[in-house]
Amino acid sequence: TDAFYSDLEPETGVNAEAGGAIDIPDTLTLKANGYYLLMDNEIATDYSSPSNNSNLEQTRRFGADAELELRLYRAANLSASYSFVDARFAAGDNKGNIIPLVSAHSVDASLDIRPISNLTVSPEASYHSKAYKSGDKANAQDPIDPYWLLNLEVSYSPDFAGGNMQIKLKAENILDELYATFAYAGSPATYYPAPGRSVSLVVSYSY
């Protein structure tokens, strides 16, 4: 059922952004940008509110993002991205404190390797730095731990009966890392564990 929550104010903000890119055909693409964002009434998760959300005091963020696409060899491509953000309260009792649930650093990287025709092996890695729990505006509790994740995808597309067949095997969180992307501050704190190791197999065929 749709509901209108009158306890929430609309978000407003001011954003400034600048960036650039370098492109060397068939070799390298590099993109980078920086930004500044000042927001009033930012909406954040708050389970003590009837809407499970509430408005924050004025917040500000400045950060940078970078993306890299690199062709290593004829049969291998590297993709990587990095994000940095300094996200803090800009007014009120928590001025200067870090906004909950925001990681300052995040990294994603993947490698596509084609050892033979129609076969692609793609290891992936991602990293997120620590973040304070939802509701911990004072940054008084221990933060959510940082974590690394490793995934692997193998895709094979054989010629079959004149059609297009694809066999895709994917393993996620290979190291079975115990981690959480969300936790709520309290005594005790409440953690929501993310999925452990999983393996999936998908076979598709079209003609």
Side-chain angles (χ1 to χ4, degrees):
T1 303
D2 294 337
F4 180 81
Y5 294 103
S6 59
D7 59 321
L8 292 175
E9 296 292 332
E11 296 178 328
T12 58
V14 176
N15 180 61
E17 187 171 348
I22 298 172
D23 186 14
I24 303 174
D26 298 322
T27 302
L28 177 147
T29 300
L30 177 63
K31 301 177 182 178
N33 76 293
Y35 63 89
Y36 178 85
L37 174 64
L38 185 68
M39 291 191 67
D40 289 310
N41 296 317
E42 179 179 342
I43 296 174
T45 301
D46 181 0
Y47 290 140
S48 66
S49 168
S51 64
N52 290 330
N53 293 281
S54 64
N55 293 112
L56 299 180
E57 297 152 318
Q58 188 181 61
T59 60
R60 71 105 181 104
R61 289 170 169 81
F62 69 81
D65 301 305
E67 296 180 11
L68 172 68
E69 298 281 344
L70 180 62
R71 186 173 182 179
L72 300 176
Y73 297 99
R74 183 173 299 178
N77 292 323
L78 172 68
S79 299
S81 63
Y82 169 72
S83 295
F84 164 77
V85 59
D86 185 85
R88 297 179 184 270
F89 291 98
D93 295 338
N94 299 298
K95 183 178 180 179
N97 291 346
I98 297 172
I99 301 170
L101 298 179
V102 179
S103 295
H105 306 277
S106 61
V107 178
D108 292 285
S110 65
L111 185 64
D112 290 335
I113 306 168
R114 294 175 295 281
I116 61 173
S117 177
N118 300 332
L119 176 66
T120 303
V121 180
S122 304
E124 303 172 348
S126 63
Y127 169 78
H128 292 268
S129 62
K130 68 180 183 180
Y132 285 99
K133 302 178 185 75
S134 176
D136 187 15
K137 301 176 185 179
N139 299 168
Q141 297 193 5
D142 291 336
I144 302 170
D145 289 335
Y147 61 90
W148 277 98
L149 294 178
L150 296 177
N151 305 322
L152 177 66
E153 181 175 293
V154 179
S155 179
Y156 182 53
S157 304
D159 296 326
F160 183 78
N164 298 312
M165 185 176 189
Q166 185 177 59
I167 304 170
K168 184 179 292 185
L169 177 67
K170 186 164 188 177
E172 297 185 285
N173 192 5
I174 293 173
L175 300 181
D176 203 23
E177 179 81 7
L178 179 62
Y179 71 104
T181 59
F182 183 89
Y184 195 77
S187 184
T190 303
Y191 285 81
Y192 294 81
R197 183 189 299 118
S198 66
V199 178
S200 62
L201 176 65
V202 177
V203 179
S204 62
Y205 178 76
S206 61
Y207 60 92

